[in-house]
Every structure is written in structure tokens, then in C-alpha cells.
Amino acid sequence: GVKRYELSDVQWVRIAPLLSGKASDPGRTGADNRLFVNGVLSLRSGAHWRDLPERYGKYKSLHKRFSRWAKAGVWEKVFASLIKDRDNKYLMLDTTLVRAHQQAATGKGGPKTRLWGV
């Protein structure tokens, strides 16, 4: 079954084509985009990057990839696609998620990048 905060197969199929690092994209193919997105979604639990379970990989690598996707507009494309669904079963944003990512992605004096399409 699907673990808490992780994508279902239906959700994954919907967003997979929007993500960077697909085999059809120029450059390096991303290592397991689904696992990476699930790791990011796990931040909804209130965890910090360094507290993510090891199954998602090294937290510094996850954070770096998250930031690259944010700068490239990948997250905004994903959310723009998901909010078009009238049933909206795929997207659930709350202030906890947004707050966790803003705190996790910017440190003292760090960039003030708007990381989510909110």
C-alpha cells in the first residue's frame, strides 16, 4: 500500500511527465524521481531535511535537487497541473507543508527563493 505522505500510482502517473530528469530529457537522468518526490512529501510530517528516512537518500542531495527543481519551475508546473483536476484528489497543501519547506530550504542569509507556487 501507499505509505503516509507518499504518492499513489494514479498520482504518480499524473505528475511523472512534468518532472526533470526523465530519460527523454537532455542531461543526466534523475535517480528515482518518485522516491525523491515522496521524500519531499514526507516533509509534511514536520520533519526537517536531515531527519528524512534513509530510504530517500542523503538529505543534502535531496535538498539540493529540491532547490534545483524549485528554481527551474518544476514544482509550479506540477501544482498547476494538479489544480486543474476538479476532483482535486491529488493536491493537498496546507500551511504546515509550505512552512516546512520554506524553513528547510532557506537558512541564515540564504536565498529568498519562492519555492512553491503559492
Side-chain angles (χ1 to χ4, degrees), residues 11 17 21 24-25 27 32 34 36 46 52 65-67 81-82 87 89 103 105 109 112-113 115 118:
Q11 293 167 323
S24 61
D25 288 347
D32 199 341
R34 186 172 183 172
F36 166 66
L52 287 174
R65 188 172 176 188
F66 172 84
S67 297
S81 172
L82 294 175
D87 292 335
K89 295 177 184 174
Q103 290 171 351
K112 302 295 185 241
T113 305
L115 297 176
V118 293

Side-chain angles (χ1 to χ4, degrees), residues 1-115:
V2 176
K3 294 180 179 177
R4 189 174 186 186
Y5 305 119
E6 294 192 354
L7 297 166
S8 69
D9 290 339
V10 172
Q11 293 167 323
W12 174 248
V13 168
R14 183 165 175 105
I15 70 163
L18 304 171
L19 305 178
S20 299
K22 297 179 298 297
S24 61
D25 288 347
R28 184 173 167 204
T29 299
D32 199 341
N33 276 346
R34 186 172 183 172
L35 186 66
F36 166 66
V37 172
N38 284 336
V40 171
L41 292 175
S42 293
L43 293 171
R44 290 197 63 224
S45 69
H48 293 276
W49 288 100
R50 68 182 173 278
D51 298 329
L52 287 174
E54 289 182 21
R55 71 178 174 269
Y56 299 119
K58 296 178 180 178
Y59 79 91
K60 288 184 180 182
S61 298
L62 291 172
H63 179 263
K64 187 181 294 185
R65 188 172 176 188
F66 172 84
S67 297
R68 277 197 317 264
W69 282 23
K71 289 176 185 171
V74 173
W75 298 115
E76 290 194 31
K77 284 190 286 186
V78 167
F79 291 130
S81 172
L82 294 175
I83 61 174
K84 290 178 186 174
D85 184 351
R86 290 179 183 256
D87 292 335
N88 201 9
K89 295 177 184 174
Y90 310 104
L91 179 64
M92 186 169 66
L93 282 178
D94 60 29
T95 57
T96 305
L97 174 66
V98 174
R99 188 170 54 248
H101 287 152
Q102 288 173 343
Q103 290 171 351
T106 59
K108 278 189 175 178
K112 302 295 185 241
T113 305
R114 189 172 115 194
L115 297 176

